Amino acid sequence: GQLKEAASLCRKILVAEPANFDANHMLGLLRAREGRFVEAAEALANALKANPHNAEALSNYGNVLMILGHLEEALLSFEAALSLGQVPVLWFNRGLVLMKLRRFEDAVASYDSALALAPDYAVAFQSRAAAFCELGRFSDALASADAALRLKPDLVDAFYIRGMALWRLKQIEAALDSYNLALEIAPRAPVILNSRGILLGVMERHEAA
Protein backbone atom coordinates (compact mmCIF):
# COMPACT_ATOMS: atom_id res chain seq x y z
CA GLY A 1 0.00 0.00 0.00
CA GLN A 2 2.99 2.37 -0.03
CA LEU A 3 2.37 3.62 -3.54
CA LYS A 4 4.72 6.60 -3.56
CA GLU A 5 7.62 4.47 -2.39
CA ALA A 6 6.83 1.80 -4.97
CA ALA A 7 6.66 4.44 -7.74
CA SER A 8 9.98 5.88 -6.57
CA LEU A 9 11.62 2.48 -6.88
CA CYS A 10 10.19 2.00 -10.37
CA ARG A 11 11.57 5.38 -11.46
CA LYS A 12 15.01 4.47 -10.10
CA ILE A 13 14.96 1.27 -12.16
CA LEU A 14 13.90 3.25 -15.24
CA VAL A 15 16.80 5.70 -14.86
CA ALA A 16 19.12 2.71 -15.28
CA GLU A 17 16.93 0.77 -17.73
CA PRO A 18 14.39 3.06 -19.50
CA ALA A 19 12.97 0.15 -21.51
CA ASN A 20 12.41 -2.17 -18.52
CA PHE A 21 9.00 -3.72 -19.15
CA ASP A 22 8.14 -4.63 -15.56
CA ALA A 23 9.09 -1.25 -14.11
CA ASN A 24 7.12 0.65 -16.77
CA HIS A 25 4.13 -1.66 -16.37
CA MET A 26 4.12 -1.36 -12.58
CA LEU A 27 4.58 2.41 -12.74
CA GLY A 28 1.58 2.60 -15.07
CA LEU A 29 -0.56 0.63 -12.62
CA LEU A 30 0.60 2.78 -9.71
CA ARG A 31 -0.15 6.01 -11.55
CA ALA A 32 -3.62 4.69 -12.43
CA ARG A 33 -4.23 3.83 -8.77
CA GLU A 34 -3.32 7.44 -7.92
CA GLY A 35 -5.70 8.79 -10.57
CA ARG A 36 -2.82 10.14 -12.66
CA PHE A 37 -4.11 8.61 -15.87
CA VAL A 38 -2.07 10.59 -18.43
CA GLU A 39 1.14 9.47 -16.72
CA ALA A 40 -0.28 5.95 -16.41
CA ALA A 41 -0.93 5.82 -20.16
CA GLU A 42 2.60 7.04 -20.91
CA ALA A 43 4.19 4.40 -18.67
CA LEU A 44 2.02 1.61 -20.08
CA ALA A 45 2.80 2.71 -23.64
CA ASN A 46 6.49 2.47 -22.77
CA ALA A 47 5.94 -1.01 -21.35
CA LEU A 48 4.25 -2.09 -24.57
CA LYS A 49 7.13 -0.74 -26.65
CA ALA A 50 9.32 -3.18 -24.73
CA ASN A 51 6.83 -6.05 -24.96
CA PRO A 52 3.95 -5.41 -27.38
CA HIS A 53 2.48 -8.88 -26.94
CA ASN A 54 1.73 -8.84 -23.23
CA ALA A 55 -2.03 -9.30 -22.80
CA GLU A 56 -2.15 -7.95 -19.26
CA ALA A 57 -0.38 -4.72 -20.24
CA LEU A 58 -2.61 -4.33 -23.30
CA SER A 59 -5.67 -4.77 -21.08
CA ASN A 60 -4.43 -2.26 -18.52
CA TYR A 61 -3.56 0.20 -21.27
CA GLY A 62 -7.05 -0.21 -22.73
CA ASN A 63 -8.62 0.53 -19.34
CA VAL A 64 -6.59 3.73 -18.91
CA LEU A 65 -7.31 4.86 -22.47
CA MET A 66 -11.02 4.29 -21.88
CA ILE A 67 -10.91 6.49 -18.76
CA LEU A 68 -9.09 9.19 -20.76
CA GLY A 69 -11.77 9.01 -23.47
CA HIS A 70 -9.44 7.67 -26.17
CA LEU A 71 -12.05 5.13 -27.15
CA GLU A 72 -10.85 3.96 -30.57
CA GLU A 73 -7.35 3.39 -29.18
CA ALA A 74 -8.80 1.57 -26.16
CA LEU A 75 -10.78 -0.70 -28.49
CA LEU A 76 -7.64 -1.54 -30.47
CA SER A 77 -5.79 -2.34 -27.25
CA PHE A 78 -8.48 -4.74 -26.02
CA GLU A 79 -8.67 -6.40 -29.43
CA ALA A 80 -4.90 -6.84 -29.47
CA ALA A 81 -5.12 -8.48 -26.05
CA LEU A 82 -7.93 -10.76 -27.26
CA SER A 83 -5.81 -11.85 -30.20
CA LEU A 84 -3.44 -13.35 -27.61
CA GLY A 85 -6.10 -15.25 -25.68
CA GLN A 86 -9.83 -15.38 -25.10
CA VAL A 87 -10.45 -13.90 -21.64
CA PRO A 88 -13.98 -12.99 -20.47
CA VAL A 89 -13.01 -9.66 -18.89
CA LEU A 90 -11.41 -8.51 -22.14
CA TRP A 91 -14.64 -9.15 -24.05
CA PHE A 92 -16.50 -7.34 -21.25
CA ASN A 93 -14.19 -4.32 -21.37
CA ARG A 94 -14.42 -4.27 -25.16
CA GLY A 95 -18.20 -4.13 -24.70
CA LEU A 96 -17.87 -1.14 -22.37
CA VAL A 97 -15.87 0.76 -24.99
CA LEU A 98 -18.38 -0.12 -27.69
CA MET A 99 -21.19 1.18 -25.47
CA LYS A 100 -19.36 4.50 -25.13
CA LEU A 101 -18.95 4.54 -28.92
CA ARG A 102 -22.73 3.90 -29.18
CA ARG A 103 -22.11 0.71 -31.14
CA PHE A 104 -24.76 -1.14 -29.20
CA GLU A 105 -25.19 -4.20 -31.46
CA ASP A 106 -21.43 -4.79 -31.33
CA ALA A 107 -21.49 -4.33 -27.56
CA VAL A 108 -24.16 -7.04 -27.21
CA ALA A 109 -22.02 -9.38 -29.31
CA SER A 110 -19.00 -8.63 -27.12
CA TYR A 111 -20.96 -9.34 -23.92
CA ASP A 112 -22.24 -12.56 -25.53
CA SER A 113 -18.64 -13.62 -26.12
CA ALA A 114 -17.81 -12.91 -22.47
CA LEU A 115 -20.82 -14.95 -21.33
CA ALA A 116 -19.97 -17.84 -23.64
CA LEU A 117 -16.69 -18.14 -21.75
CA ALA A 118 -18.09 -17.31 -18.30
CA PRO A 119 -21.82 -18.09 -18.01
CA ASP A 120 -21.88 -16.84 -14.40
CA TYR A 121 -20.56 -13.36 -15.30
CA ALA A 122 -23.32 -11.34 -13.62
CA VAL A 123 -22.03 -7.90 -14.56
CA ALA A 124 -21.84 -8.93 -18.22
CA PHE A 125 -25.55 -9.83 -18.11
CA GLN A 126 -26.21 -6.43 -16.49
CA SER A 127 -24.24 -4.51 -19.12
CA ARG A 128 -25.85 -6.50 -21.91
CA ALA A 129 -29.23 -5.48 -20.48
CA ALA A 130 -28.18 -1.84 -20.74
CA ALA A 131 -27.16 -2.36 -24.38
CA PHE A 132 -30.52 -4.00 -25.14
CA CYS A 133 -32.29 -0.97 -23.63
CA GLU A 134 -30.34 1.34 -25.94
CA LEU A 135 -31.46 -0.80 -28.87
CA GLY A 136 -35.11 -0.66 -27.76
CA ARG A 137 -35.12 -4.42 -27.12
CA PHE A 138 -36.79 -4.12 -23.74
CA SER A 139 -37.94 -7.74 -23.35
CA ASP A 140 -34.36 -8.88 -23.97
CA ALA A 141 -33.12 -6.22 -21.53
CA LEU A 142 -35.50 -7.51 -18.86
CA ALA A 143 -34.39 -11.13 -19.38
CA SER A 144 -30.71 -10.15 -19.20
CA ALA A 145 -31.20 -8.04 -16.06
CA ASP A 146 -33.09 -10.92 -14.42
CA ALA A 147 -30.23 -13.29 -15.30
CA ALA A 148 -27.77 -10.88 -13.66
CA LEU A 149 -29.87 -10.70 -10.49
CA ARG A 150 -30.23 -14.47 -10.26
CA LEU A 151 -26.44 -14.65 -10.12
CA LYS A 152 -25.89 -11.59 -7.92
CA PRO A 153 -29.01 -10.29 -6.16
CA ASP A 154 -27.41 -7.04 -4.97
CA LEU A 155 -26.61 -5.51 -8.37
CA VAL A 156 -28.10 -2.04 -8.06
CA ASP A 157 -27.73 -1.18 -11.74
CA ALA A 158 -29.44 -4.41 -12.77
CA PHE A 159 -32.52 -3.43 -10.72
CA TYR A 160 -32.39 0.04 -12.26
CA ILE A 161 -32.09 -1.27 -15.84
CA ARG A 162 -34.84 -3.78 -15.06
CA GLY A 163 -37.04 -0.87 -13.93
CA MET A 164 -36.36 1.03 -17.16
CA ALA A 165 -37.21 -2.00 -19.27
CA LEU A 166 -40.44 -2.69 -17.35
CA TRP A 167 -41.45 0.95 -17.71
CA ARG A 168 -40.97 0.82 -21.49
CA LEU A 169 -42.96 -2.43 -21.52
CA LYS A 170 -45.76 -0.50 -19.76
CA GLN A 171 -45.49 -2.63 -16.62
CA ILE A 172 -45.54 0.48 -14.44
CA GLU A 173 -46.11 -1.00 -10.98
CA ALA A 174 -43.43 -3.64 -11.61
CA ALA A 175 -41.03 -0.89 -12.74
CA LEU A 176 -41.67 1.04 -9.53
CA ASP A 177 -41.05 -2.12 -7.49
CA SER A 178 -37.72 -2.58 -9.28
CA TYR A 179 -36.64 1.01 -8.55
CA ASN A 180 -37.66 0.50 -4.91
CA LEU A 181 -35.49 -2.62 -4.69
CA ALA A 182 -32.56 -0.70 -6.17
CA LEU A 183 -33.01 2.04 -3.58
CA GLU A 184 -33.06 -0.49 -0.74
CA ILE A 185 -29.45 -1.24 -1.74
CA ALA A 186 -28.42 2.32 -2.67
CA PRO A 187 -30.87 4.73 -0.97
CA ARG A 188 -29.15 7.92 -2.13
CA ALA A 189 -28.45 7.04 -5.77
CA PRO A 190 -29.38 10.24 -7.65
CA VAL A 191 -30.13 8.66 -11.04
CA ILE A 192 -32.45 6.06 -9.53
CA LEU A 193 -34.20 8.62 -7.30
CA ASN A 194 -34.70 10.86 -10.33
CA SER A 195 -36.14 8.07 -12.49
CA ARG A 196 -38.40 6.93 -9.66
CA GLY A 197 -39.62 10.52 -9.23
CA ILE A 198 -40.43 10.82 -12.93
CA LEU A 199 -42.26 7.50 -12.88
CA LEU A 200 -44.29 8.52 -9.83
CA GLY A 201 -45.19 11.71 -11.68
CA VAL A 202 -46.42 9.65 -14.63
CA MET A 203 -48.51 7.66 -12.12
CA GLU A 204 -49.92 11.01 -10.84
CA ARG A 205 -48.49 10.36 -7.39
CA HIS A 206 -47.16 13.89 -7.28
CA GLU A 207 -46.39 14.24 -3.56
CA ALA A 208 -44.34 11.05 -3.64
CA ALA A 209 -42.67 12.23 -6.85
Side-chain angles (χ1 to χ4, degrees), residues 16-154:
E17 295 181 37
N20 185 290
F21 169 80
D22 291 314
N24 276 305
H25 189 200
M26 185 177 290
L27 184 61
L29 297 178
L30 290 165
R31 290 298 182 234
R33 283 276 299 277
E34 294 171 327
R36 296 163 64 174
F37 296 110
V38 172
E39 293 173 57
E42 182 181 351
L44 290 166
N46 287 334
L48 287 165
K49 286 176 187 173
N51 184 357
H53 303 299
N54 184 283
E56 185 181 1
L58 285 163
S59 176
N60 291 326
Y61 190 45
N63 288 329
V64 169
L65 290 170
M66 181 163 49
I67 291 166
L68 290 170
H70 303 322
L71 300 180
E72 294 289 355
E73 293 173 63
L75 185 61
L76 290 172
S77 198
F78 289 131
E79 289 176 347
L82 281 164
S83 72
L84 300 168
Q86 301 291 293
V87 180
V89 71
L90 292 174
W91 283 112
F92 175 76
N93 287 339
R94 180 178 180 271
L96 294 181
V97 176
L98 290 164
M99 288 287 285
K100 290 176 181 291
L101 289 166
R102 303 192 65 78
R103 291 171 52 183
F104 301 119
E105 290 280 5
D106 292 335
V108 167
S110 206
Y111 295 135
D112 284 343
S113 294
L115 290 164
L117 294 166
D120 59 348
Y121 202 161
V123 182
F125 277 114
Q126 173 182 273
S127 294
R128 189 178 68 165
F132 280 138
C133 274
E134 293 287 355
L135 291 164
R137 294 170 56 180
F138 299 114
S139 294
D140 290 330
L142 180 60
S144 199
D146 283 340
L149 289 164
R150 281 194 295 273
L151 290 163
K152 202 169 188 301
D154 62 347

